[in-house]
Amino acid sequence: MSDPRSRAEGATAPARRPWHRGALVALAGAAAVGLAAAGALHAPAVTVSGPSVATTPRAGDDGSLGTTELACPGAPFLGTPGVPDLPSEGRLVTATPPRADLAALDVPVPPTGRLVTGVVGLRGTNRSDAARSVDGTGRPAAVVGTGAAAVGPVAGTVAVVDRPRARGLLSSGCGAPSADAWLIGGGDAPGRQERLLLTNLGANPATVEVEALRTAGVDGATSRTVTVPGRSRRGLFVDGAFGADAVPVLHVRASGGLVRATLVESWRDGTRTAGAEAIDPTAAPATTQVIAAVPAGRRTVRIGNPGASDAVVRLRTADARGEHPVAGGVVTVPAGSSTEEELPVATAPGSVVVRSDRPVVAAVATIPAGAGEASDLAWSVASDPVGRLGGTAVPAPVGGRRAIVVHASGSAARVRVTSVVGGRSVVRTVDVVADGTRIVGVPDGAGSTWVRPVTEGADVRAGLLAARGRGIAELRAASTVPSVRLRRGAVQVTPAG
């Protein structure tokens, strides 16, 4: 990189494999982990190959976290009853943290481990051949790390759909299954469709209740219960379940097992496609929500208030100079409802901050604005602080570009951003002003990027922006950089059955 503070450090590059060329495979990261077959997951057969560089960790290895498990939703437009299947091309990448970051944080790492990727079932496909067409080439996946590979693994996917009914760039971070999640996306404009993908990596079925916060005064169903069989993904057509709503906000709660929830939106505006996006869960209700990485363009913020009292919300934007109040940006959100407010058009990426007197959830949509501008929408969700270390392995689209947006809340922070390229770490250290942001480009070929606050106790959040093309042909997507699991109990996980 051009920054004079950039330098290279030893690391092992993650591998990657396109959906449309073969099976998903186990991938080695910076902790030097071995490769092993995915049969232990009791998933459909998948061949996992590669050089063995370590043995299975012994019981009692110092610093062992047991197992860390991540769920990846797979191909976004397959297997949802009530809406047609659409093929897409995509990639899955996994990685573990650079040795230098783990050493700086004094994180104990076992000497050996393994990181395994295996496919799980795809339920409810619309065609008899749909499951075969994506077997090993986009099916939902479990990424399981043990020993050294249980320390901070990350995984991510990128998909491109370019069909008459949908066109867009969709990026998603694989995450730990949970019992509670909030998702924001979609709308009631003609041609907008939302699919809720629920991935269950456990052996037992999970009962999932999906509740919808609606626009105040809008009638319609507010709750739906579905069962997701073990080791499978189920898709729910949101419009069919709840009817159209201008500002849908979904609350997903699971019992009997944990699920990873992903919301997929596609939008066809008349005769033209207006974008598509895969949307990860937004941060749980809180009085401050930070949406770290928001693309430039026309933006609207959506806010959901799950409480029993009205919430008074103040909207602010953030850039390299700090926070700025939004003119007219004081909004009252009625209890148990959702609303949406337009933000000023932005000429550069930045952050959006939502402050409320009651806990709320929030996300920002960047939508097509008109002739000559990007024809793809992007959803940016709120995230929790990266803690000691955050990471992402969301790959770049072919011919695309990526950038990390870092936000520091409350006080200034020095932040180290490390991108792993071809087995070596490219490091950039940036200073972020209080309540401000910094944008750091991700080098071409980077398999993973890591964000570590150098300033002790700093409240740092980060997100990843991806794009391909320019002008009207531009496709774009946003995802978060979550905190990674470094010690036992840091992240809730589901043991592989």
Side-chain angles (χ1 to χ4, degrees):
M1 300 180 66
S2 59
D3 190 285
R5 291 170 292 185
S6 299
R7 57 192 177 90
E9 297 177 345
T12 300
R16 64 201 79 186
R17 185 68 61 89
W19 288 354
H20 60 289
R21 289 187 182 175
L24 300 173
V25 298
L27 303 161
V33 297
L35 306 182
L41 301 177
H42 305 289
V46 56
T47 299
V48 181
S49 60
S52 178
V53 297
T55 58
T56 302
R58 301 181 302 275
D61 276 342
D62 182 39
S64 174
L65 291 172
T67 298
T68 297
E69 186 174 80
L70 306 174
C72 306
F77 293 107
L78 291 173
T80 300
V83 285
D85 290 331
L86 292 173
S88 60
E89 294 184 355
R91 291 183 295 157
L92 166 67
V93 173
T94 73
T96 51
R99 297 183 186 92
D101 284 312
L102 296 179
L105 295 171
D106 195 25
V107 175
V109 180
T112 58
R114 64 180 186 177
L115 191 62
V116 175
T117 302
V119 296
V120 299
L122 184 65
R123 302 282 177 141
T125 51
N126 296 329
R127 303 189 308 268
S128 60
D129 67 338
R132 290 195 298 273
S133 71
V134 296
D135 190 7
T137 58
R139 297 182 75 178
V143 176
V144 182
T146 57
V151 181
V154 293
T157 64
V158 65
V160 175
V161 60
D162 193 358
R163 315 292 293 184
R165 292 197 305 270
R167 179 178 181 272
L169 175 66
L170 302 89
S171 64
S172 179
C174 306
S178 70
D180 192 282
W182 290 87
L183 296 111
I184 299 176
D188 66 350
R192 293 185 83 166
Q193 290 185 339
E194 303 87 45
R195 312 167 191 231
L196 177 62
L197 308 182
L198 302 168
T199 305
N200 176 11
L201 301 185
N204 300 320
T207 300
V208 179
E209 182 182 12
V210 184
E211 295 180 303
L213 298 181
R214 309 181 68 94
T215 307
V218 174
D219 295 328
T222 58
S223 180
R224 175 78 178 270
T225 300
V226 298
T227 299
V228 184
R231 302 189 180 97
S232 71
R233 186 190 86 184
R234 178 167 181 178
L236 177 66
F237 181 36
V238 175
D239 288 354
F242 299 104
D245 193 328
V247 287
V249 173
L250 302 179
H251 187 197
V252 175
R253 292 184 293 181
S255 59
L258 306 180
V259 298
R260 175 67 173 179
T262 305
L263 187 63
V264 176
E265 179 181 356
S266 62
W267 188 3
R268 182 173 176 82
D269 185 7
T271 60
R272 72 181 185 97
T273 55
E277 180 69 294
I279 308 162
D280 291 330
T282 195
T287 54
T288 298
Q289 297 286 8
V290 178
I291 301 95
V294 182
R298 177 186 169 196
R299 306 169 300 167
T300 60
V301 59
R302 185 172 301 175
I303 306 159
N305 174 15
S309 300
D310 293 354
V312 178
V313 176
R314 290 171 171 79
L315 306 176
R316 303 177 74 87
T317 60
D319 57 22
R321 296 176 293 120
E323 274 190 16
H324 312 282
V326 173
V330 179
V331 182
T332 298
V333 186
S337 71
S338 56
T339 191
E340 193 166 84
E341 292 292 323
E342 192 163 334
L343 296 170
V345 174
T347 58
S351 301
V352 173
V353 180
V354 175
R355 303 188 189 279
S356 173
D357 65 343
R358 304 281 181 180
V360 296
V361 294
V364 174
T366 306
I367 60 179
E373 298 192 13
S375 59
D376 191 16
L377 66 85
W379 276 99
S380 304
V381 301
S383 61
D384 295 320
V386 300
R388 301 176 74 203
L389 181 67
T392 177
V394 171
V398 175
R401 56 199 183 276
R402 291 169 295 171
I404 294 287
V405 183
V406 180
H407 180 274
S409 295
S411 60
R414 175 161 291 182
V415 180
R416 172 182 164 119
V417 179
T418 303
S419 294
V420 180
V421 184
R424 299 186 67 80
S425 292
V426 178
V427 180
R428 184 174 177 188
T429 300
V430 297
D431 293 312
V432 188
V433 303
D435 298 316
T437 64
R438 286 291 299 270
I439 301 172
V440 180
V442 176
D444 292 343
S448 62
T449 299
W450 307 85
V451 176
R452 176 167 65 87
V454 178
T455 305
E456 185 174 358
D459 185 338
V460 171
R461 306 169 204 231
L464 176 71
L465 299 178
R468 187 178 82 173
R470 303 283 181 180
I472 191 66
E474 182 179 87
L475 303 180
R476 55 193 178 185
S479 56
T480 63
V481 177
S483 175
V484 300
R485 183 180 188 236
L486 299 176
R487 298 185 185 276
R488 185 179 297 276
V491 174
Q492 185 179 27
V493 299
T494 307

